[in-house]
Structures are given as C-alpha cells and as structure tokens.
Amino acid sequence: MMLSDLPQTDIDIFSEDTMRDPAPVWAEIRELGSVVFLSRWDTWIVTRYDEVREVLTDWQTFTSAKGTVFSDEMSAMLGETPLTTDPPLHDTLRGVLSEKLAPRALRKLNAPIVDRADELIAEAVAAGSFEGMESLCKRLPVDIVADLIGLPVEGREILLPGAEAFFTTFGPYDDRLLALMPSIEEFVAYMGRVTSRDVLAPGSWGTAILDAVDAGVIGEEHAIPLMSAYLIAGMDTTVHSLGFYLTNLAENPAAWAALKKDPTLIGSGFEETLRLGTPVQLSYRVTTRQVELGGHTIPEGKRILLCNAAANRDPRHYDDPDTFDIHRNPVDHLTLGYGTHGCAGQGLARLEARALITALLERVDSIELTGPVERQSHVPGFAGIRRLPLSLTTA
Ligand code: HEM
C-alpha cells in the first residue's frame, strides 16, 4: 500500500491542547486507521491495541537501539540503557538489577514500603484537607526509589524536577525542551557526583551497578545512564499512577465503597487506573526493514510512535473503554509496555500502590475532592496530575 492510501492527519499531537486533554485526540486518530501518518510531524503513529502489542512483541523489526524518543537530536545524546538497546546488550544491562526487582527481593521490600505509606496516610488524615500530589503521591515513590538506589537524603530535592525535565526529552526537540536543558544538565551533574562508592549506600542498587562495572559485566560508560534510567523511570511514572488512583477513588464513590467492602479489589483498581491513566502515553521505535502493519506498509528506517494510551482505550479490545470499572482487572493493558522492554519496575510500582491504598482503606472512611483536579499538561507524551485537592474523613 502506498503512502497515499495511508490515513493521514495534520493533528498536532504535541500541542498544548492535546497535552491538556489527550484522550479525545487519540480516539480521533485511532478511528482513522490502525496506522496513521502524522503530516505535522512527518511520522507514523500506531494507536490500536492489537497493532501496538504486535510492535512491542517484535524488537527485531522495531528496534529500540536507534532511539526511543521522538527527536534524532536527543536519541543521539541518550546513553545505552535497557530502554535504548536491543538484545543481547539490553539483556546484559537489564540483568544487572533484575534480581533486585525479582519477586523474592520485592517481598523483602514490602514491610518498609507499607510502613512509609502508613506514615504518610496518618499525616494526611491528621491534616484533614491537603494537596494530594505533594503530600502523598510524590513522597512515597521518591523516598523509596532514592533509598533503593542508595542516594544520600541531602540533595534529593533535585530528583523529581530533574526526572520531569528528562521526560521532556522524549518529545520534540523544541523551545520547550531547550528551556529545560539547564535542569537536565543539573540532573546529569548530580548523577555524576553521586555515582561513587563514597556516596552510595552499601548493598544498594547503585553499588550493584558499580559491582557490575568492576566485574566487567558492563562498561564504565554504562554506570551513570543505568542508574539514571532506573531513577527517572521509577519516580514520575509511579507518582502520577498514584495520583490517578486517588483521583479515580475520589471521583467514583461507588468504587470507593466497593473497595472498602472488598479490599482484595485494590490490585484490580490499580490495573484499571493504569489502563485509563497511562502516564507514559507514547513509546518510540524505528523500523529495521519495510514492514506490513495493520494492512499498511511502513518503510525501513522510520521512527514510529506507539500510542499506549490509545491502545488502552481501544473499543476493539475493551468494552466501555472510557469508564473506570474497579472490577475490570485489565491485566493485559499496555501501560507498562510489553515484551522485551516491559517495565522492569512494575512489581515495585504495584507494591507502592497496594501499600498506599491499603493504608488509606484502613485509616479513612471517605475521600473527597475539595476543588478541581488539575491534569498535568507540560510534558509531551506523558499524562499526570498536577494538583489534587483532597480531604479525608474518619468515622
Ligand atoms: C506505574 C509506574 C510505571 C509506569 C507507568 C512505567 C512505564 C513503563 C513503560 C511504558 C516502559 C516501556 C517503555 C518502552 O517499551 O519503550 C517501562 C520500562 C521500564 N521501566 Fe517502568 N514504569 C513504571 C514504574 C517503574 C519503576 C518503579 C521502575 C524502577 C524503579 C521502572 C523502571 C523501568 C525500566 C528500567 C524500564 C526499561 C525496561 C527495558 O527496556 O527493558 N519503571 N516502564
């Protein structure tokens, strides 16, 4: 099939309007076809569930080694990490921390995460009304991932703004990104300072990375990118997933009542939250050969955008896809990727969510919004919550 037969649109997927409310835009593009050419950005986007999953399954045809961000400029600048490489190097890099994130290791992490979540909820209950992102959702993942990596407490205030700036590198190389370059450089300099045995806590993920360098498993040049990758990937994503979960519960009293009655629904509620919220809305791959996808031909060497967010609301795959249904348990959503690059930290993210919601159910009778929820709109291809005014009441 020729390009002229391919559905096309001039919708600007990176405009401020799209970023503020992406779901209707993804729905419009998804109904144009399984693969759509975005003339505004001279690129292909895949939005339907089956085709997004097909791409994620086939790393040989859709490589991550030629850029997993939108721009060539940033692709050339990012170091080698599990996200930006194909097997076998991918497997070596991912293998460095795979035991630390395996179920056995996660079981040991559970108790401190539960304690920290309970402390935060107790503080929030005492406050009564508060801003949920600052008081709860940002604090839990940042504390936990920074502790696991072994970072000193001092200086952690740079982590979240740095990670947020870094996520902007996934989008177009434009003024928005250039304005954030100083924050990105500051974050890179910080990572350079802390990647040292003198600074990192013994037995931490950070020292495991340095051990792998010393053992010759990975090169010295991999240490900082690898540590940064886990740090960046483990904060904002989880922060906003927790924000979406609290929002869904505050906006859906019936879901809250169902959870209070049956806390075994916590996991199902989190999967449904991940499906609907999809913090990482877009992933990127490059074709290694000419390929047929959804009946369309994509030439070799082209960057394609995978819209995980659109796939997660594809009515061909999920009934009533825009509704939050706490009973749905959609474990096949694509929010955590799929296949070779499926999220390495998903077990940890689930532990954090479970700990926070369990503490909430134990300590709180009702959760309510005290003002409008502000959706995050400034990071291209990323969705989240900026302000979440909440009140918690106990009996
Ligand atoms: C709910 C929270 C999270 C979400 C929504 C999320 C999302 C994702 C997605 C979509 C991918 C695949 C990207 C692609 O295929 O291009 C991914 C990969 C990854 N995630 Fe997560 N993530 C979360 C939490 C975490 C945590 C807590 C960590 C670590 C502490 C982490 C570490 C990673 C790493 C290292 C990769 C690269 C895996 C690879 O390429 O083999 N993530 N994540």
Side-chain angles (χ1 to χ4, degrees), residues 82-83 90 94 230 233-234 237-238 241 285 335-337 340-341 343-345:
L83 189 68
H90 163 272
R94 183 158 169 158
Y230 279 82
T237 51
T238 318
S241 301
R285 298 289 190 270
T335 302
L336 298 156
T340 311
H341 294 279
C343 177

Side-chain angles (χ1 to χ4, degrees), residues 105-250:
L106 290 180
R107 274 196 293 277
K108 285 197 194 141
L109 293 180
N110 192 41
I113 294 177
V114 165
D115 289 348
R116 184 72 186 121
D118 194 54
E119 257 170 48
L120 290 172
I121 294 290
E123 272 179 37
V125 169
S129 305
F130 55 93
E131 199 288 297
M133 296 310 289
E134 293 298 329
S135 305
L136 293 175
C137 305
K138 290 188 181 176
R139 289 171 72 189
L140 188 66
V142 175
D143 286 353
I144 285 167
V145 176
D147 281 350
L148 288 169
I149 292 196
L151 298 175
V153 173
E154 197 181 312
R156 285 186 186 181
E157 60 284 352
I158 190 182
L159 295 179
L160 210 49
E164 212 170 86
F166 235 101
F167 268 110
T168 308
T169 64
F170 281 57
Y173 193 76
D174 56 9
D175 289 348
R176 191 165 40 194
L177 172 56
L178 292 175
L180 286 167
M181 276 300 175
S183 303
I184 294 170
E185 281 160 14
E186 204 186 326
F187 186 81
V188 171
Y190 167 86
M191 291 309 292
R193 284 196 302 279
V194 297
T195 308
S196 142
R197 285 193 196 277
D198 296 340
V199 177
L200 294 166
S204 61
W205 293 3
T207 55
I209 291 173
L210 297 182
D211 292 345
V213 173
D214 290 349
V217 176
I218 57 172
E220 208 171 320
E221 73 283 7
H222 291 130
I224 294 177
L226 196 52
M227 221 168 84
S228 311
Y230 279 82
L231 187 59
I232 292 166
M235 293 189 300
D236 248 18
T237 51
T238 318
V239 164
H240 292 288
S241 301
L242 299 178
F244 281 129
Y245 205 168
L246 295 181
T247 304
N248 288 334
L249 294 180

